[in-house]
């Protein structure tokens, strides 16, 4: 049984108390740091004053990264299957001679 851990994460100048599995702590803390870093980047690059707008931009950025990885993996997977099929055909031809 995983032990639960109580932590507090600070995101966009707000504290969020969470109860998590110990195995999640590092990932959540790293995600929190990335979000705050991205918030600062958006605030410096654009004239955005509303935290809600900045958080929406961060969410869009992270979601688009996840979706792009899915697309990239799908493309890579298709190409790998095609190459494996060609190799399999070559082996079959060689063995059937």
């Amino acid at each position: 049984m995983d032990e639960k851990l109580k932590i507090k994460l600070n995101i966009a100048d707000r504290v969020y108390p969470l109860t998590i599995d110990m195995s999640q702590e590092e990932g959540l803390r790293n995600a929190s740091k990335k979000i705050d870093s991205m918030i600062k980047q958006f605030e410096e690059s654009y004239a955005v004053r509303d935290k809600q707008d900045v958080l929406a931009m961060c969410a869009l950025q992270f979601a688009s990264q996840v979706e792009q990885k899915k697309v990239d993996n799908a493309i890579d997977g298709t190409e790998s299957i095609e190459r494996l099929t060609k190799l399999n055909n070559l082996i079959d031809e060689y063995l059937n001679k």
Side-chain angles (χ1 to χ4, degrees):
M1 181 185 345
D2 286 334
E3 289 189 41
K4 298 294 184 182
L5 181 65
K6 292 186 180 208
I7 65 170
K8 292 180 182 178
L9 294 180
N10 189 326
I11 301 171
D13 300 326
R14 282 193 176 181
V15 176
Y16 295 91
L18 300 171
T19 302
I20 60 168
D21 291 333
M22 291 181 105
S23 61
Q24 295 177 300
E25 182 181 13
E26 184 178 358
L28 286 169
R29 290 195 187 280
N30 288 339
S32 172
K33 288 177 187 175
K34 283 184 180 181
I35 292 168
D36 274 336
S37 174
M38 193 176 288
I39 286 170
K40 287 177 187 167
Q41 203 172 22
F42 280 128
E43 287 176 335
E44 289 171 3
S45 300
Y46 305 101
V48 181
R49 292 188 185 141
D50 187 5
K51 286 285 188 196
Q52 183 67 37
D53 290 338
V54 176
L55 288 169
M57 292 166 63
C58 288
L60 178 61
Q61 182 76 20
F62 283 118
S64 67
Q65 289 171 0
V66 168
E67 291 303 315
Q68 187 60 49
K69 284 186 181 186
K70 286 181 186 178
V71 169
D72 292 345
N73 288 340
I75 291 169
D76 291 342
T78 302
E79 291 174 7
S80 296
I81 290 170
E82 288 173 3
R83 280 187 256 150
L84 287 171
T85 301
K86 286 179 184 178
L87 284 171
N88 194 37
N89 291 340
L90 288 171
I91 291 170
D92 283 345
E93 286 177 21
Y94 179 77
L95 292 175
N96 290 328
K97 284 184 179 182

